[in-house]
Amino acid sequence: SYVLTQPPSVSVAPGQTARITCEGNDIGSKSVHWYQQKPGQAPVLVVYVDSDRPSGIPERFSGSKSGNTATLTISRVEAGDEADYYCQVWDRGSGHHVFGTGTKVTVL
Amino acid sequence: QVQLVESGGGVVQPGGSLRLSCAASGFNFNTSAMHWVRQAPGKGLEWVAFIRDDGGDKYSADSVKGRLTISRDNSKNTLDLQMNSLRVEDTAVYFCAKEVLRKGYFDLWGRGTLVTVSS
């Protein structure tokens, strides 16, 4: 089955930039989506189709992809960005959707 | 109001059954593909099952295939998950989620309902 690997944790000081990676085989051929989840809450879509941002999501959140790695970048990090972040793709071969292992972002 | 509201969670013994429901409102449910996603305590998100807008196509994760069955009633704007032969490892918060039309991502989530499988 298809696997998406993320670093378990990323720590960043307020005002700095956080980068969260998502690695998967042939991820370049798939659309990658990103979700933010705060404790006790449902996930919220922050980036879709690699780099598009839903309305209401700050421009500080951006997505990119290169080779076998997709990246979610959070610029000018704020305390309110502290959360778990998940990447997600649709695996055409199996018809299944796959979430990454998740990354906990801690704001120092 | 655009929302999804899950119900039906609770405590069940291993081998037992439970039926979850998700009530949709505020959007065209009958043109939306829907999913169930779960999250075990302290763990990450796991996709569980998908159903096409007309109910004509379904997929489920290998971990639940043959035990958890997704269905929908477009006349009532409801999504269901019939859970049979439950295992301890099925313990999780179950979210229903709406997929953006054939785009593969989820733009609306419910708050989830907790299923605990324990003797």
Side-chain angles (χ1 to χ4, degrees):
Chain A
S1 60
Y2 193 76
V3 175
L4 293 171
T5 302
Q6 300 179 231
S9 63
V10 167
S11 296
V12 58
Q16 299 303 303
T17 299
R19 293 181 179 85
I20 305 161
T21 57
C22 174
E23 297 184 359
N25 184 44
D26 197 30
I27 200 172
S29 68
K30 305 179 189 303
S31 292
V32 181
H33 321 294
W34 292 91
Y35 302 87
Q36 175 195 69
Q37 186 183 33
K38 296 182 178 180
Q41 298 184 18
V44 172
L45 180 71
V46 293
V47 167
Y48 63 95
V49 189
D50 300 337
S51 58
D52 289 334
R53 212 173 28 253
S55 60
I57 300 300
E59 291 183 5
R60 301 184 298 102
F61 289 83
S62 62
S64 61
K65 201 168 59 177
S66 178
N68 277 341
T69 302
T71 302
L72 176 69
T73 301
I74 311 173
S75 304
R76 302 180 299 283
V77 166
E78 302 175 356
D81 299 331
E82 192 163 277
D84 294 325
Y85 291 83
Y86 297 90
C87 57
Q88 176 250 321
V89 302
W90 174 59
D91 179 33
R92 181 182 297 273
S94 63
H96 294 183
H97 294 258
V98 180
F99 286 96
T101 50
T103 298
K104 181 176 181 59
V105 170
T106 300
V107 181
L108 300 172
Chain B
Q1 185 178 4
V2 178
Q3 64 177 0
L4 297 169
V5 180
E6 302 93 339
S7 61
V11 180
V12 61
Q13 292 187 337
S17 297
L18 208 59
R19 189 175 184 90
L20 305 184
S21 288
C22 171
S25 60
F27 64 95
N28 288 328
F29 180 76
N30 59 8
T31 60
S32 299
M34 298 295 297
H35 299 255
W36 286 99
V37 176
R38 69 184 181 182
Q39 186 170 37
K43 302 298 184 181
L45 299 173
E46 179 187 15
W47 173 79
V48 173
F50 151 88
I51 187 166
R52 203 171 66 187
D53 52 3
D54 63 359
D57 205 9
K58 303 176 185 180
Y59 289 100
S60 59
D62 293 342
S63 59
V64 306
K65 200 178 296 288
R67 302 185 302 114
L68 275 57
T69 303
I70 191 171
S71 62
R72 66 190 296 160
D73 186 338
N74 284 351
S75 68
K76 297 179 180 178
N77 285 1
T78 57
L79 174 74
D80 289 340
L81 186 68
Q82 178 64 43
M83 310 172 72
N84 298 330
S85 302
L86 283 163
R87 305 168 180 169
V88 171
E89 55 265 35
D90 294 319
T91 294
V93 173
Y94 285 74
F95 298 98
C96 61
K98 168 184 164 293
E99 179 180 338
V100 174
L101 187 61
R102 299 191 179 90
K103 297 298 186 182
Y105 59 92
F106 315 121
D107 66 338
L108 181 64
W109 296 68
R111 300 183 68 172
T113 187
L114 175 62
V115 173
T116 303
V117 184
S118 173
S119 55

